[in-house]
């Protein structure tokens, strides 16, 4: 991007004094041009350096505000950070007030280095560097204050303390804090921290795809921390020790009723946050239990339903009513619920329709052909006995495909996954792929089905065409291209389609004002998740985004609950400055995969997860992962480097300025 100055991640671009059309490009930095639709953003300071996009800016004022934010964010556990950031703040204020001297600049420089070298966590280790950059590159600006001539610009400096793992988590969970609490032998404190961001520590701790771990700085030293499994440990500890989870001090403190449609992770989470605000929340769920795709899709050996039930029962205990067997659009409608006094709606109906493969024979009802989502539900909810199959094919390469494959291995079938690209492009979680191989699932890559072959109404084979990889498509993955004349038959007695899901939003027909996308998702404002046409309607989770992940659904539900709260209070429905800052930080990237981290001894291995007996793993639906012991959890938590960082923007009043 074109900008005035950048020292981001050690690369200096300095376009000051040059004509705008001759500015050198800075491809490594991505920042929004405006802070929100009312205010402009002209500069950014944070762990990686200083960036100035354009005038107006006041580097000394920004450095002072940043030092103040560091001091406010310091956990005060180590002396260099606690005292050093305070002295920095005081020195910078002195300079801003025109009382500083050249010696103060030298003092600041020394201080930046001392705090960086001697602090124990990210605030002290990564915080002072950008201040040192301002001293290096903006000497004249400092000189302007020291000689007494320069006046403060009085710009606005919102900031956010986060961490690379937290920034990557859609729920914004304070990950370093809950890990520290486990390390300090306080699992209940840890669970309290987790619950501030999600009621689903249990499901997330078992099945989250953990974007946090892909953004863990420990991975720059050795393996990333087991952030996800530590979450589960905190929940398991409370559960195993029969500790009563905290009650809701605001239960039904407000009169307004809110209808949550769909009792999946998005619905459960939205209901939870609203209940904590004191609203009277009812979840309308068409099935006989809550949990959505966790209840019906994620197999028992990954997330047992007995454990899931304890999770939503906790939300129920906070004052949320769950009404099961109620299909919105049929048993209840917007009109009927508005008539019953509901003041806002959260749509969290997910996507539970299996996408059609579009191949011949798919709609003929052959015995042995199953849409993946449907068969997983039948097995998990024990709706019917599934006959043993000799050879089951799974078409697709995502997580539903992995669950179908691993489930049928447990039912005693030979299983082959048929996927149209190669192993490299598999969209499923790599851990799931590895587990499937371990359990004996086979793969046929570069194959695309063309026809289901049947005999006497039963599946006997799949006609498939060979593929080769062409140019990358919009997703960046190489497009599969059919090899003409390569059709062949794979013998099998069962085929499962697992190529994606569609959303069933038939209930929106009642209100044509609510816009929908061409993929049948309700259109809501991407910041607030509020429908712009029908203001009492909000949406999140898979029904809004299409098939995604648990943690995405929970993160959106948290946001939607905040928006519903603002809407019901008659306030402007908007993100807070802190939330906008988190987005800014995500854009510039809180985690640098290439960062070289000195002074950390290698070889502190990640704790292995204890698993059940291999026989049970192979042949039953017993939960595979057993969870960490307390000793293991504390050992693993001790690997956390507490990579807290602070990012700060320089914000002007007018969007364009
Ligand atoms: C087989 C499978 C495995 C997966 N594995 C993982 C995993 O390991 N990790 C991960 O992060 N993500 C995984 N996912 C994705 C994850 O489960 C979803 O992203 C998440 O559940 C979405 O939550 P949601 O609440 O938006 O929707 P859902 O979980 O789909 O819940 C929607 C709920 O709304 C109900 N509903 C729908 N229509 C109506 C209506 N008209 N009236 C009343 N109720 C209605 C449904 O019955 C359902 O209970 C998996 C998904 C599947 C299908």
């Amino acid at each position: 991007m074109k900008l005035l100055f950048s020292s981001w991640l050690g690369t200096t671009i300095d376009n000051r004094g040059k004509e705008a059309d001759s500015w050198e490009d800075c491809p490594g930095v991505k920042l929004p041009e405006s802070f929100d639709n009312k205010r402009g953003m002209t500069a950014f300071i944070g762990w990686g350096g200083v960036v100035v996009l354009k005038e107006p800016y006041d580097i000394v004022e920004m450095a002072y505000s940043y030092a103040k934010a560091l001091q406010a964010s310091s956990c005060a556990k180590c002396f260099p950070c606690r005292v050093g950031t305070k002295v920095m703040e005081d020195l910078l204020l002195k300079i801003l007030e025109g009382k500083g001297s050249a010696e103060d600049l030298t003092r600041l420089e020394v201080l930046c280095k001392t705090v960086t070298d001697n602090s124990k966590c990210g605030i002290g280790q990564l915080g002072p560097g950008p201040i040192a950059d301002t001293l290096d590159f903006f000497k004249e600006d400092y000189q302007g204050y020291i000689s007494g001539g320069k006046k403060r610009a009085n710009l606005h400096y919102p900031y956010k303390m986060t961490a690379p793992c937290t920034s990557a988590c859609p729920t914004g969970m304070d990950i370093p804090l809950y890990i520290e609490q486990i390390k300090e032998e306080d699992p209940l404190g840890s669970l309290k921290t987790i619950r501030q961001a999600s009621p689903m520590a249990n499901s997330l701790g078992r099945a989250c795809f953990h974007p946090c771990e892909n953004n863990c700085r420990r991975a720059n030293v050795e393996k990333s921390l087991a952030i996800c499994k530590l979450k589960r440990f905190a929940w398991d500890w409370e559960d195993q020790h029969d500790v009563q989870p905290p009650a809701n001090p605001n239960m039904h403190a407000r009169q307004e009723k809110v209808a949550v449609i769909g009792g999946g992770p998005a619905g459960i989470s939205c209901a939870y946050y609203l209940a904590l605000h004191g609203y009277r929340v009812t979840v309308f769920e068409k099935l006989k239990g809550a949990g959505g795709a966790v209840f019906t899709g994620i197999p028992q050996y990954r997330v047992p339903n007995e454990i899931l039930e304890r999770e939503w029962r906790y939300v129920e205990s906070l004052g949320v009513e769950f009404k099961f067997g109620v299909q919105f659009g049929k048993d209840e409608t917007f009109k009927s619920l508005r008539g019953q006094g509901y003041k806002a709606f959260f749509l969290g109906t997910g996507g539970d329709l299996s996408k059609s493969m579009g191949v011949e024979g798919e709609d003929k009802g052959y015995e042995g052909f199953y849409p993946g989502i449907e068969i997983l539900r039948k097995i998990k909810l024990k709706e019917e006995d599934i006959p043993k199959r000799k050879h089951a094919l799974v078409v697709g390469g995502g997580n539903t495909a992995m669950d179908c494959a691993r489930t049928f291995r447990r039912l005693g079938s030979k299983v082959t996954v048929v996927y149209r690209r190669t192993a490299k492009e598999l969209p499923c979680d790599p851990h799931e792929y590895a587990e499937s191989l371990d359990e004996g699932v086979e793969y046929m890559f570069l194959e695309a089905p063309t026809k289901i072959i049947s005999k006497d109404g039963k599946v006997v084979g799949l006609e498939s065409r060979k593929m080769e990889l062409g140019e990358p498509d919009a997703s960046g993955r190489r497009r599969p291209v059919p090899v003409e004349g390569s059709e062949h038959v794979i013998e099998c007695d069962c085929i499962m389609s697992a190529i994606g899901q569609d959303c069933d939003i038939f209930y929106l027909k009642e209100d044509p004002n609510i816009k929908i996308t061409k993929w049948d998702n309700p259109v809501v404002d991407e910041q607030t998740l509020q429908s712009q046409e029908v203001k009492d309607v909000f949406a999140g989770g898979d029904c809004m985004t299409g098939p995604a992940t648990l943690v995405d659904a929970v993160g959106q539900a948290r946001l939607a609950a905040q928006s519903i709260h603002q809407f019901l209070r008659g306030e402007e429905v908007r993100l807070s400055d802190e939330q906008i800052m988190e987005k800014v930080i995500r854009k510039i990237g809180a985690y640098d995969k290439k960062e070289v981290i000195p002074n950390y001894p290698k070889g502190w291995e990640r704790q292995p997860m204890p698993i059940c007996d291999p026989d049970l793993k192979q042949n039953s639906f017993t939960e595979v992962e057993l969870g960490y012991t307390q000793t293991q959890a504390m050992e693993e938590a001790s690997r956390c480097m507490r990579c807290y960082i602070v990012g700060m923007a320089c914000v002007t009043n007018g969007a364009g300025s």
Side-chain angles (χ1 to χ4, degrees):
M1 93 183 269
K2 300 271 188 207
L3 38 75
L4 198 55
F5 174 87
S6 173
S7 64
W8 199 249
L9 301 181
T11 303
T12 309
I13 301 284
D14 195 348
N15 287 316
R16 288 172 295 174
K18 295 183 195 164
E19 292 297 323
D21 53 6
S22 65
W23 279 10
E24 202 183 329
D25 201 16
C26 185
V29 174
K30 290 190 176 67
L31 281 171
E33 303 268 349
S34 54
F35 190 67
D36 57 19
N37 55 11
K38 295 197 184 113
R39 293 170 294 171
M41 175 168 149
T42 60
F44 180 87
I45 185 167
W47 64 102
V50 181
V51 181
V52 180
L53 301 169
K54 56 188 171 186
E55 303 271 3
Y57 68 94
D58 181 336
I59 214 78
V60 183
E61 190 178 69
M62 184 161 81
Y64 160 66
S65 305
Y66 177 67
K68 201 170 160 187
L70 288 180
Q71 163 64 195
S73 307
S74 171
C75 74
K77 278 191 187 159
C78 73
F79 183 83
C81 177
R82 172 165 43 102
V83 176
T85 53
K86 178 69 185 132
V87 179
M88 277 180 201
E89 179 191 335
D90 292 347
L91 280 173
L92 282 159
L93 180 62
K94 188 177 161 198
I95 295 168
L96 262 187
E97 287 173 340
K99 299 173 193 159
S101 63
E103 289 75 45
D104 289 329
L105 297 184
T106 313
R107 251 178 241 137
L108 262 174
E109 258 172 52
V110 174
L111 203 52
C112 285
K113 183 153 176 25
T114 313
V115 176
T116 302
D117 291 347
N118 296 294
S119 295
K120 290 202 173 124
C121 78
I123 296 290
Q125 288 167 355
L126 304 169
I131 297 180
D133 282 2
T134 65
L135 295 166
D136 272 355
F137 296 107
F138 293 84
K139 285 197 174 69
E140 283 175 14
D141 299 62
Y142 279 97
Q143 221 42 62
Y145 276 107
I146 288 172
S147 58
K150 194 163 163 60
K151 294 271 165 293
R152 283 183 68 158
N154 287 320
L155 296 165
H156 180 53
Y157 300 99
Y159 76 92
K160 169 88 181 135
M161 180 180 84
T162 183
C165 49
T166 294
S167 184
C169 176
T171 72
M173 194 173 286
D174 190 341
I175 292 169
L177 178 59
Y178 87 68
I179 287 177
E180 174 91 353
Q181 287 165 319
I182 290 177
K183 182 176 126 194
E184 290 178 346
E185 231 175 316
D186 181 14
L188 291 180
S190 174
L191 191 52
K192 191 171 169 197
T193 303
I194 294 166
R195 281 189 173 132
Q196 278 164 12
S198 165
M200 303 196 71
N202 184 14
S203 302
L204 287 175
R206 283 171 160 82
C208 183
F209 293 141
H210 45 69
C212 50
E213 291 184 23
N214 303 335
N215 288 266
C216 171
R217 280 176 80 240
R218 185 95 218 174
N220 295 34
V221 182
E222 57 217 336
K223 271 206 170 145
S224 65
L225 213 78
I227 300 173
C228 175
K229 302 301 172 199
L230 286 172
K231 205 177 287 125
R232 170 188 168 166
F233 165 76
W235 167 282
D236 282 353
W237 199 94
E238 182 189 74
D239 203 30
Q240 287 156 6
H241 290 77
D242 276 335
V243 178
Q244 216 36 47
N248 180 4
N250 294 329
M251 183 142 113
H252 299 166
R254 299 178 194 271
Q255 290 309 311
E256 294 100 325
K257 298 204 297 185
V258 182
V260 168
I261 314 298
I268 293 175
S269 305
C270 187
Y272 166 79
Y273 302 116
L274 289 168
L276 292 181
H277 276 304
Y279 294 103
R280 291 156 192 267
V281 188
T282 309
V283 176
F284 296 93
E285 166 57 55
K286 67 179 178 184
L287 299 178
K288 60 182 179 185
V294 188
F295 179 54
T296 58
I298 299 185
Q300 192 76 358
Y301 60 84
R302 292 210 286 132
V303 185
N305 271 352
E306 306 71 53
I307 284 172
L308 170 71
E309 177 163 351
R310 292 210 274 282
E311 198 159 51
W312 67 260
R313 288 277 183 210
Y314 169 56
V315 174
E316 189 179 44
S317 77
L318 302 178
V320 172
E321 183 185 15
F322 282 84
K323 283 195 174 173
F324 294 115
V326 182
Q327 184 165 26
F328 187 65
K330 190 170 133 248
D331 305 314
E332 296 285 3
T333 59
F334 286 117
K335 192 168 175 220
S336 70
L337 291 180
R338 283 191 187 112
Q340 292 166 46
Y342 286 91
K343 299 288 181 220
F345 295 83
F346 174 72
L347 309 178
T349 51
D352 54 2
L353 300 177
S354 256
K355 222 184 236 322
S356 154
M357 298 190 291
V359 307
E360 202 183 316
E362 195 180 356
D363 53 355
K364 294 283 193 294
Y366 295 140
E367 220 263 295
F369 173 76
Y370 307 112
I373 296 290
E374 208 174 284
I375 190 71
L376 287 172
R377 191 196 66 235
K378 283 182 176 162
I379 294 171
K380 193 160 192 201
L381 302 190
K382 300 190 176 80
E383 286 174 357
E384 62 184 65
D385 286 337
I386 307 299
K388 186 169 166 182
R389 306 290 179 184
K390 271 206 214 111
H391 186 198
L393 297 188
V394 180
V395 180
N399 292 299
T400 304
M402 295 303 115
D403 285 336
C404 289
R406 295 182 65 195
T407 292
F408 269 68
R409 279 300 289 149
R410 281 166 172 75
L411 295 176
S413 309
K414 168 183 157 95
V415 179
T416 307
V417 172
V418 177
Y419 179 55
R420 61 194 186 133
R421 291 180 162 107
T422 70
K424 205 171 137 218
E425 288 85 21
L426 275 174
C428 63
D429 183 33
H431 173 74
E432 286 297 304
Y433 174 51
E435 284 293 297
S436 74
L437 290 175
D438 185 51
E439 290 167 9
V441 173
E442 295 173 19
Y443 284 80
M444 290 177 78
F445 292 113
L446 294 167
E447 295 272 357
T450 44
K451 185 177 173 185
I452 295 174
I453 318 279
S454 70
K455 193 173 171 206
D456 303 330
K458 291 182 182 168
V459 170
V460 293
L462 179 72
E463 185 188 88
S464 175
R465 190 186 281 156
K466 296 236 179 262
M467 310 295 271
E468 55 191 16
L469 291 183
E471 292 302 308
D473 63 13
S475 72
R477 295 177 307 165
R478 290 177 66 192
R479 192 190 300 275
V481 182
V483 178
E484 286 309 316
S486 64
E487 286 77 5
H488 60 112
V489 174
I490 310 167
E491 279 182 26
C492 62
D493 57 348
C494 170
I495 299 171
M496 286 166 274
S497 63
I499 59 159
Q501 290 120 252
D502 288 322
C503 304
D504 189 5
I505 49 157
F506 76 96
Y507 55 80
L508 285 184
K509 288 200 183 94
E510 183 199 344
D511 194 337
N513 292 321
I514 300 173
K515 287 193 186 151
I516 50 174
T517 66
K518 62 178 171 180
W519 299 280
D520 266 358
N521 311 117
V523 177
V524 288
D525 180 87
E526 61 173 32
Q527 306 265 344
T528 62
L529 306 183
Q530 182 183 35
S531 158
Q532 293 309 287
E533 290 73 36
V534 184
K535 298 283 184 188
D536 61 352
V537 172
F538 301 76
D542 282 9
C543 84
M544 193 270 287
T545 55
T549 67
L550 292 173
V551 75
D552 285 313
V554 176
Q556 284 152 21
R558 186 178 189 191
L559 188 56
Q562 171 186 301
S563 298
I564 292 171
H565 179 52
Q566 291 169 334
F567 167 73
L568 292 175
R569 304 267 58 76
E571 295 162 7
E572 185 188 356
V573 179
R574 63 179 291 270
L575 295 186
S576 67
D577 282 3
E578 247 203 331
Q579 286 169 313
I580 298 174
M581 276 312 299
E582 187 68 271
K583 282 179 174 264
V584 171
I585 290 171
R586 270 187 207 139
K587 184 144 191 175
I588 199 163
Y591 173 58
D592 176 15
K593 211 175 177 171
K594 296 193 196 119
E595 183 190 358
V596 177
I597 302 176
N599 305 332
Y600 269 98
K602 287 188 197 292
W604 195 349
E605 289 301 322
R606 183 177 162 123
Q607 285 295 309
M609 173 56 63
I611 61 164
C612 69
D613 183 275
D615 260 6
L616 285 174
K617 178 172 187 281
Q618 200 72 37
N619 301 314
S620 79
F621 284 83
T622 306
E623 189 176 12
V624 173
E625 297 185 341
L626 302 179
Y628 283 144
T629 62
Q630 180 148 11
T631 314
Q632 275 187 304
M634 286 169 68
E635 178 75 11
E636 182 60 19
S638 304
R639 296 175 68 235
C640 178
M641 290 160 34
R642 287 177 51 84
C643 311
Y644 282 121
I645 49 176
V646 172
M648 174 177 276
C650 172
V651 168
T652 57
N653 276 333
S657 55

